[in-house]
Amino acid sequence: MTTCFFCTNQGGNVLYNCELYRIVLVDDANYLGYLRVVLNQHRKELTDLSITDNLSMYAAVIKCEQILRQLFQPEKINLASFGNMTPHVHWHVIPRFINDRHFPNPTWGEVTNLDYAPSSALLLAQQNLIQEFQSLFLA
Amino acid sequence: MTTCFFCTNQGGNVLYNCELYRIVLVDDANYLGYLRVVLNQHRKELTDLSITDNLSMYAAVIKCEQILRQLFQPEKINLASFGNMTPHVHWHVIPRFINDRHFPNPTWGEVTNLDYAPSSALLLAQQNLIQEFQSLFLA
């Protein structure tokens, strides 16, 4: 348990925290607005959770998608729950843009645009995300 | 619309179909048990669906995870909804095994085990999945 990354690290800048999960902003210069919804207990699979907790996590993921669409107006939202390396339930919620570093591949795939740098509009959206996330999430 | 892959192709062997979505077995020799839950209408993002439809899709994904864990006993389940190339709502549900073709990477990542071939136990599990999916899904 003590060697699990998400049991010993927040995994990013905590924007929201409740008993069941935390929502963190991942520090990734290529992917502004990259959120993770991390379970606040060590479980391997989503189906190891009760239906209630599983759906509560998913509702948080969907709320993150809504907020990211509103603030970042991305080309696409990418959702994933893998955990092959860190088998502790967590969701990735990633706003994607045409010509971003891996587009149209998943961010785990081949780099397609090595020179990509987020625009100033995205930097501003990230500032707004940090400032407004909690109120938008609870709205 | 007519150029959308999932509007013009089932996307795999249909194991279950209802008004909202279909569940297909993807034809991938490296990834037996690879299921997709595909929306039966053209929408880009999960948050373009009503909450009811969104949660119904997710409930199907979770049921797929349960069935795959039961039949395949995988090391990990991977869930993802990307749609960068095919912006038509669909979920990937992939049973993963230590030393499979990309483990521990996502299946969209770098190949780690070029010579991987699924075991005879997994071939049998896939036969059972095809035969029993509908009854397990509706149980």
Side-chain angles (χ1 to χ4, degrees):
Chain A
M1 212 81 131
T2 52
T3 58
C4 168
F5 177 77
F6 287 122
C7 286
T8 53
N9 295 272
Q10 296 288 16
N13 176 6
V14 179
L15 300 185
Y16 180 79
N17 190 47
C18 64
E19 188 175 348
L20 183 62
Y21 57 81
R22 60 190 180 269
I23 301 173
V24 304
L25 177 65
V26 176
D27 182 15
D28 186 329
N30 287 299
Y31 288 103
L32 304 186
Y34 181 168
L35 299 176
R36 280 200 199 108
V37 183
V38 183
L39 187 68
N40 277 335
Q41 55 184 289
H42 189 81
R43 294 286 182 280
K44 188 170 183 174
E45 300 282 12
L46 281 155
T47 43
D48 291 335
L49 305 185
S50 69
I51 289 284
T52 304
D53 286 353
N54 194 339
L55 291 180
S56 292
M57 287 274 296
Y58 184 67
V61 168
I62 287 303
K63 188 78 186 180
C64 288
E65 175 174 314
Q66 281 175 335
I67 293 168
L68 292 175
R69 289 184 74 182
Q70 180 185 334
L71 294 183
F72 286 77
Q73 301 180 306
E75 175 62 24
K76 191 70 191 68
I77 292 287
N78 286 182
L79 304 182
S81 177
F82 297 132
N84 304 324
M85 295 193 202
T86 307
H88 175 134
V89 166
H90 61 284
W91 282 97
H92 305 270
V93 188
I94 313 172
R96 300 297 308 277
F97 300 88
I98 290 175
N99 294 329
D100 74 21
R101 189 170 169 83
H102 300 80
F103 201 87
N105 297 325
T107 59
W108 293 269
E110 197 176 340
V111 171
T112 51
N113 297 293
L114 199 59
D115 298 328
Y116 170 74
S119 66
S120 55
L122 293 184
L123 286 162
L124 182 60
Q126 170 125 317
Q127 285 177 18
N128 291 337
L129 182 73
I130 293 168
Q131 283 169 13
E132 298 172 24
F133 184 84
Q134 182 139 331
S135 60
L136 290 170
F137 188 77
L138 295 174
Chain B
M1 213 82 132
T2 53
T3 58
C4 169
F5 177 78
F6 287 122
C7 287
T8 53
N9 294 272
Q10 297 288 13
N13 177 6
V14 179
L15 301 184
Y16 180 78
N17 190 45
C18 63
E19 188 177 348
L20 183 63
Y21 57 79
R22 59 191 181 268
I23 301 173
V24 304
L25 178 64
V26 177
D27 181 16
D28 186 330
N30 288 299
Y31 288 103
L32 304 185
Y34 180 166
L35 299 175
R36 280 200 198 108
V37 183
V38 182
L39 187 68
N40 278 336
Q41 55 185 287
H42 189 81
R43 293 286 183 278
K44 186 169 184 176
E45 300 283 10
L46 282 156
T47 43
D48 292 334
L49 305 183
S50 69
I51 289 286
T52 304
D53 287 352
N54 194 339
L55 291 180
S56 292
M57 287 275 295
Y58 185 66
V61 168
I62 286 304
K63 189 78 186 182
C64 287
E65 175 173 314
Q66 282 175 334
I67 292 169
L68 292 175
R69 289 183 74 181
Q70 179 184 335
L71 294 184
F72 287 76
Q73 302 181 307
E75 175 62 22
K76 192 68 191 68
I77 292 285
N78 286 183
L79 304 181
S81 177
F82 297 132
N84 304 324
M85 294 192 206
T86 307
H88 175 135
V89 166
H90 62 284
W91 281 98
H92 305 269
V93 188
I94 313 172
R96 301 297 308 276
F97 300 90
I98 290 174
N99 295 329
D100 74 21
R101 188 169 169 85
H102 299 81
F103 201 87
N105 297 326
T107 59
W108 294 268
E110 197 176 341
V111 171
T112 51
N113 299 293
L114 199 59
D115 299 330
Y116 170 73
S119 67
S120 54
L122 293 184
L123 287 161
L124 182 59
Q126 170 125 317
Q127 285 177 19
N128 291 336
L129 182 72
I130 294 167
Q131 283 168 14
E132 298 171 26
F133 185 84
Q134 183 139 330
S135 60
L136 290 169
F137 188 77
L138 296 174

